[in-house]
Amino acid sequence: MSWTDERVELLKKMWGEGQSASQIAKELGGVTRNAVIGKVHRLGLSNRATTSTKTETKAKAAPKADTKPKPTPKPAEPAAKAAPEPAAPKPLPARKQIIPAGQPLPPQPSANEISPEALAKVSAIEKKAKRLTLMELTERTCKWPVGDPATDDFWFCGLTVQQGKPYCEAHVGVAFQPMSSRRDRRR
DNA sequence: CCCTGATTCGC
DNA sequence: GCGAATCAGG
């Protein structure tokens, strides 16, 4: 595949929209994200603010006149922090009356110990859970168990895990509570 | 580990 | 000019 005008245009468009190189590559097809990035550089349209400590080439770099200062269409993020404190109802779906002959229930942390925010997040995320079975779990699926193992309605979250962790973001939130916050967390 | 972009350098 | 390999940050 070569860089036809169309492809370059799509590249520019997507890059402008903030799409990642890999996404663009996927869209274009026939190229890898490296190819895309390489092209992006050659085209000159690179800067997109990265956490790069920028290899500051000293004061060497010539300022160069910017004919077209980029608009930087950052709509801003309101991020309405709705911190609901609705006495977080236990998300647990009606426990079967019969306690399975079994082992203590899984890590299901009791609601009354976890930060409200985290809990809210979980109950919210659980609606989106993929509800995977044990066999469907992979290294990239959240392994947070939900429900009762001895029941039909037992499944694993299955959402994409947070890098490194065994759980998705929401579940990582309730799984790894810094001791400090749970101890003496009454304000 | 996965993902991102940045750079280098042989082709 | 191209892009795989490699680097570096998250």
Side-chain angles (χ1 to χ4, degrees), chain A residues 158-171:
Chain A
L159 292 175
T160 301
V161 299
Q162 189 156 57
Q163 303 174 306
K165 316 290 190 313
Y167 307 122
C168 66
E169 185 188 314
H171 287 135

Side-chain angles (χ1 to χ4, degrees), chain A residues 91-140:
Chain A
L92 289 180
R95 160 120 297 109
K96 295 297 182 184
Q97 301 205 300
I98 326 168
I99 302 298
Q103 312 317 308
L105 295 170
Q108 295 271 327
S110 41
N112 56 34
E113 283 278 346
I114 283 57
S115 60
E117 315 92 52
L119 240 186
K121 219 175 179 183
V122 182
S123 43
I125 208 73
E126 268 178 21
K127 291 166 189 165
K128 293 181 180 176
K130 294 184 177 173
R131 307 203 170 204
L132 302 183
T133 65
L134 181 58
M135 279 110 81
E136 296 174 313
L137 292 176
T138 75
E139 288 105 58
R140 284 220 232 2

